[in-house]
Amino acid sequence: VTVYRSDAPVVPDLHALHELNPVFNTTLGKWVQSFEVLPMSAEETAAFIAKVRRDKEIEINMSRTAANNGFFLFQGKRIACDEVSMKDIIITNMFVLRDGKLPASFPGIWKSKDNEYIPIPDTATWNSFFDSIFLQGSRNFMHSETLKHRIAQALTLSEIRIINWNTDTGIPHS
């Protein structure tokens, strides 16, 4: 049991801060709030670890959303899939679905994130391009689900906290 007489006690993991009655500090000439740091009960510990797991899953979901809105790979190049880019891609794909061909005004190229032009001369190439979006999204989903499984299997707080979007799962992701 550690008793603190300060405004900002340090509370280690799996411990809880309990407020005690104020104590008069004769040196300072004033009342000072006292705190006691005790190990959490089994129920508090379980609830705390469950919250850390939920927070980590939320972090992974946010990372997946960012990855899905970042880029996908096509012919080894990163293609933007932010909101504006996706609108252009979806509208173009609607023409392909409706007419069975690329729109007449389609330039036959798509610009990568590093400003290189990638030829997309026909619907077969376009379909491959469009399939790449789906593939990247699926990979990002599988990566996030694998991370969440690891979070669920982790036994300690440090094992949970170390997991992040960049943790290697063997699944290519953006």
Side-chain angles (χ1 to χ4, degrees):
V1 175
T2 305
V3 176
Y4 292 90
R5 288 186 173 79
S6 71
D7 293 329
V10 176
V11 181
D13 281 339
L14 305 180
H15 286 71
L17 183 68
H18 300 278
E19 213 174 275
L20 300 173
N21 291 327
V23 175
F24 188 77
N25 183 316
T26 54
T27 305
L28 297 175
K30 65 178 187 177
W31 289 91
V32 178
Q33 183 62 55
S34 293
F35 302 93
E36 183 176 50
V37 177
L38 299 171
M40 290 181 177
S41 69
E43 291 99 16
E44 290 171 322
T45 298
F48 183 77
I49 291 173
K51 182 185 181 322
V52 171
R53 284 184 205 280
R54 279 191 308 275
D55 290 348
K56 186 54 78 167
E57 288 177 354
I58 290 168
E59 175 190 320
I60 297 301
N61 287 341
M62 290 170 53
S63 294
R64 178 176 167 235
T65 298
N68 282 350
N69 290 320
F71 69 90
F72 65 95
L73 293 174
F74 178 68
Q75 296 181 355
K77 290 294 186 182
R78 291 180 175 207
I79 308 298
C81 55
D82 56 82
E83 186 177 345
V84 172
S85 299
M86 285 307 299
K87 279 184 181 178
D88 292 341
I89 291 168
I90 290 167
I91 289 169
T92 302
N93 202 58
M94 290 170 70
F95 276 95
V96 171
L97 289 172
R98 185 188 71 192
D99 300 339
K101 62 183 182 177
L102 289 162
S105 62
F106 185 75
I109 55 173
W110 206 272
K111 198 172 190 179
S112 69
K113 287 186 79 140
D114 62 358
N115 293 318
E116 288 189 29
Y117 292 105
I118 300 167
I120 302 181
D122 52 39
T123 55
T125 308
W126 175 263
N127 289 336
S128 178
F129 176 81
F130 199 77
D131 290 348
S132 295
I133 301 168
F134 174 78
L135 177 61
Q136 193 65 56
S138 294
R139 287 176 173 170
N140 289 342
F141 173 74
M142 292 307 300
H143 179 66
S144 70
E145 290 303 298
T146 301
L147 293 173
K148 290 177 195 177
H149 177 74
R150 288 185 183 178
I151 291 165
Q153 298 302 309
L155 300 175
T156 66
L157 287 172
S158 60
E159 288 174 351
I160 295 168
R161 289 180 173 148
I162 200 167
I163 297 169
N164 62 56
W165 188 252
N166 295 318
T167 299
D168 185 17
T169 61
I171 300 169
H173 61 281
S174 53

